[in-house]
Amino acid sequence: MKQILILADGLAAKHFIDRINQKRVSANSYSIVSPNPEFELPEKKIANMTLHHFDPTSFSKLKKVFSTSRFDMVFILLDNAEDARESLNNIREIDEKIQIYLLDEWDNFGDIENSFVQIFNINQLIANRLFDHLPNVPLVAQNVGVVEGEIMEVSIPYESSFAYRHMGSISQVKWRIVAIYRDSKLILPTSATMIKPLDSLLIVGKPQILNNIYTQINGKQGIFPEPFGRDLYIILDMNYDADHALNYINEAMYMQERLTNKQLVVRIMNPGRFDILERIKSFDGEGIEVLVEYSTKSVDNIIMADMQKHNIGLIFSSGDTFINDDLSSVVRDMKKLIYIFGQTPLSLVERSVILMDDDEGMETISSTSFYISQTLGLDLHLCNYDPEGDFESKKMIVEHYETLSNVTHYPVSIEEKKINPIRSLENMKNILQIAPLTYDVDHRSWFSIFSTKLKDHLFDSTQHPKLLIPVIVEQ
């Protein structure tokens, strides 16, 4: 449940709170602070709405309210410009990274330049609304189409699974992101365009699907592996996986048990070991579907056909099957997460580890890294390892993870060491390695042994399981 703080006084504040109450937006909890002792809540208010009477320009009183709740955002709707600014300064001092929405009735806040503060100039809003009624002026989206919700604008929270994702890595079936609004500017996105927090997406599609997308964008916990898809899929090529097939299925089931209402699809290819095949078939039942391919169809065609029938978000594979069946291109093109089994089973993993490479994909994989860590209860570690001790060049990435940690309320440990990251990985135990899935992640040559890039050594060791997150790198 989102915790919302509203500093309220005046007619605009009253109408805003009445609107919340009328629409019964009960998924949030509202703490309302008013300096006006006569300010009252609606008579038949929703249960999760409380009112405090005190002056929000008092730093000590406001800080006391923050000590009782961990607010996700603040709305400032006050009748006095000086009170509004003083309250804004107090909140920024208490929490400099909380999202604030301030109603400006006085044209007095144009000097505010802060990504965590959004100013709504009431005079501009009224002027824009009146302008829409002029003749020969195109209508805004709310008056376009059949008005059944087929066009929707959605804001991206910091903790959204869509944040820091490239457009090309998001599967858009029966819906589309047609435009992005950022800093009051229109962006016509390409596959390489990155979605950032506080962006507004203009999305088009069937109303029911858009409602589901809205939930995905604003969802926080229990959504993994969205937005890549809903269910789980394990590929077992018995040419490579026969000896470990049952262990692999148990590991996928371990993941399934920690998610909510997820189906597990088990795909068997080249079923030569019929003794093992019969044991695998015994798993078929509620929540698990076993599919066996006896033909000689190509692996790509089999997987693509399965993806069209099932809403798959996470694919499990052994390293041997992933490399020998050349799965990287088909998985990446379908924009799916890939989990590579390691010698350490998932049930023994205690930490999720991101080894910082070049900034290619580091921001893109951040939100998914937090979600999988939360889902499995893993300690998340961001490792800035550099043999030369050049930590400053990755400072912005570190700050990005710290910000995301703050808004998701999930800790991340930042480690900076003057060591070789590839060698350090060999000495780690009970970890899940998280890394970007790029176009050349498994296309190695003998020159790769001299490479200092982490992606060129991703499959050097089979000790640790890996979660590879698809990213689109702008050329």
Side-chain angles (χ1 to χ4, degrees):
M1 179 175 286
K2 300 282 188 179
Q3 300 291 325
I4 313 297
L5 175 63
I6 304 174
L7 309 186
D9 190 20
L11 283 175
K14 184 180 184 304
H15 282 293
F16 180 56
I17 292 169
D18 286 345
R19 178 76 169 173
I20 295 172
N21 197 63
Q22 290 169 4
K23 292 297 182 179
R24 297 288 170 181
V25 188
S26 57
N28 304 322
S29 178
Y30 306 93
S31 296
I32 300 164
V33 173
S34 179
N36 184 355
E38 297 181 359
F39 191 93
E40 296 180 351
L41 297 181
E43 184 176 348
K44 296 181 179 180
K45 70 176 183 65
I46 54 180
N48 49 349
M49 184 180 285
T50 58
L51 175 62
H52 311 272
H53 283 116
F54 67 81
D55 187 355
T57 63
S58 170
F59 179 82
S60 60
K61 292 180 180 179
L62 200 57
K63 188 173 183 180
K64 186 176 180 180
V65 173
F66 271 82
S67 68
T68 60
S69 298
R70 192 160 189 175
F71 294 110
D72 293 282
M73 61 184 64
V74 180
F75 289 82
I76 301 177
L77 300 91
L78 297 174
D79 253 0
N80 183 281
E82 293 182 2
D83 290 351
R85 185 173 289 275
E86 186 63 27
S87 300
L88 173 64
N89 293 337
N90 285 342
I91 295 169
R92 285 269 67 91
E93 188 171 345
I94 295 170
D95 187 344
E96 63 179 9
K97 293 185 178 179
I98 193 169
Q99 184 62 43
I100 299 174
Y101 301 94
L102 187 148
L103 185 64
D104 179 9
E105 303 179 20
W106 316 275
D107 289 332
N108 201 29
F109 289 85
D111 60 318
I112 302 295
E113 293 185 2
N114 187 310
S115 61
F116 294 97
V117 180
Q118 188 167 350
I119 305 297
F120 291 89
N121 187 306
I122 193 168
N123 298 311
Q124 290 180 357
L125 291 174
I126 293 173
N128 291 339
R129 192 70 184 94
L130 292 172
F131 181 80
D132 288 340
H133 291 276
L134 287 173
N136 301 315
V137 173
L139 296 177
V140 296
Q142 63 190 33
N143 298 319
V144 174
V146 295
V147 198
E148 293 182 353
E150 75 280 4
I151 302 174
M152 185 181 293
E153 184 175 345
V154 188
S155 182
I156 303 296
Y158 268 87
E159 67 272 22
S160 173
S161 59
F162 280 66
Y164 300 105
R165 296 281 309 284
H166 288 98
M167 283 280 296
S169 69
I170 298 175
S171 179
Q172 300 173 52
V173 180
K174 297 182 180 179
W175 72 282
R176 290 289 184 273
I177 301 172
V178 296
I180 298 175
Y181 295 99
R182 179 182 303 157
D183 298 330
S184 301
K185 295 180 180 178
L186 171 66
I187 299 173
L188 299 178
T190 67
S191 62
T193 302
M194 178 183 286
I195 298 171
K196 296 184 177 181
L198 306 185
D199 281 353
S200 288
L201 307 186
L202 188 64
I203 58 178
V204 177
K206 293 185 177 180
Q208 184 175 358
I209 292 176
L210 293 191
N211 288 331
N212 291 335
I213 298 301
Y214 177 88
T215 301
Q216 292 177 27
I217 290 175
N218 289 278
K220 190 173 180 181
Q221 297 184 7
I223 63 170
F224 184 84
E226 300 284 5
F228 300 93
R230 184 184 66 242
D231 296 323
L232 314 181
Y233 180 86
I234 178 172
I235 304 170
L236 295 174
D237 188 334
M238 302 306 264
N239 287 339
Y240 313 109
D241 300 328
D243 292 339
H244 302 285
L246 298 176
N247 291 335
Y248 291 160
I249 293 176
N250 285 328
E251 198 161 339
M253 291 172 61
Y254 178 87
M255 175 73 82
Q256 182 189 25
E257 290 170 0
R258 276 143 188 83
L259 303 176
T260 305
N261 298 324
K262 308 298 182 185
Q263 183 83 5
L264 173 62
V265 178
V266 181
R267 165 57 72 187
I268 310 296
M269 296 181 294
N270 300 312
R273 294 280 299 275
F274 290 100
D275 54 332
I276 298 177
L277 182 60
E278 291 304 312
R279 296 178 65 182
I280 293 175
K281 285 182 177 180
S282 68
F283 287 103
D284 193 279
E286 185 176 354
I288 300 178
E289 181 180 4
V290 177
L291 305 174
V292 184
E293 183 61 51
Y294 294 97
S295 72
T296 58
K297 292 180 182 177
S298 70
V299 174
D300 287 6
N301 288 338
I302 295 171
I303 295 175
M304 291 179 67
D306 287 343
M307 296 298 119
Q308 291 175 359
K309 293 179 182 178
H310 303 84
N311 185 11
I312 302 300
L314 174 62
I315 298 175
F316 295 83
S317 172
S318 68
D320 287 339
T321 294
F322 183 78
I323 294 173
N324 292 319
D325 287 344
D326 194 21
L327 297 184
S328 65
S329 58
V330 64
V331 170
R332 184 187 54 249
D333 291 343
M334 291 187 297
K335 308 172 185 66
K336 306 300 180 183
L337 296 169
I338 182 77
Y339 179 96
I340 305 295
F341 296 108
Q343 297 175 24
T344 302
L346 186 57
S347 59
L348 296 181
V349 169
E350 300 172 350
R351 297 183 296 155
S352 51
V353 172
I354 303 171
L355 292 179
M356 293 178 65
D357 206 346
D358 297 333
D359 60 358
E360 182 180 285
M362 286 292 107
E363 286 188 347
T364 305
I365 69 173
S366 59
S367 57
T368 302
S369 301
F370 275 91
Y371 288 133
I372 186 63
S373 300
Q374 282 183 291
T375 300
L376 300 178
L378 306 178
D379 296 331
L380 177 58
H381 292 253
L382 180 67
C383 301
N384 188 4
Y385 295 165
D386 191 289
E388 305 299 326
D390 179 18
F391 306 130
E392 191 66 23
S393 63
K394 299 182 179 67
K395 183 179 179 180
M396 292 186 63
I397 301 174
V398 172
E399 290 179 350
H400 163 74
Y401 276 81
E402 289 175 337
T403 298
L404 201 53
S405 174
N406 182 66
V407 298
T408 59
H409 309 318
Y410 198 81
V412 58
S413 297
I414 309 296
E415 300 180 10
E416 293 184 341
K417 296 181 181 179
K418 192 176 179 179
I419 55 177
N420 185 311
I422 299 170
R423 292 180 180 176
S424 68
L425 188 64
E426 298 174 356
N427 298 322
M428 295 182 183
K429 294 182 179 180
N430 299 333
I431 71 163
L432 170 66
Q433 183 183 0
I434 302 177
L437 175 61
T438 56
Y439 277 93
D440 53 351
V441 71
D442 66 338
H443 295 164
R444 300 187 61 198
S445 67
W446 71 272
F447 292 105
S448 299
I449 62 175
F450 303 108
S451 174
T452 59
K453 292 184 176 293
L454 289 170
K455 66 180 180 180
D456 291 329
H457 301 274
L458 199 55
F459 290 92
D460 286 359
S461 171
T462 60
Q463 178 183 355
H464 310 302
K466 304 170 183 64
L467 180 70
L468 305 184
I469 303 172
V471 301
I472 305 297
V473 179
E474 192 165 8
Q475 302 296 322

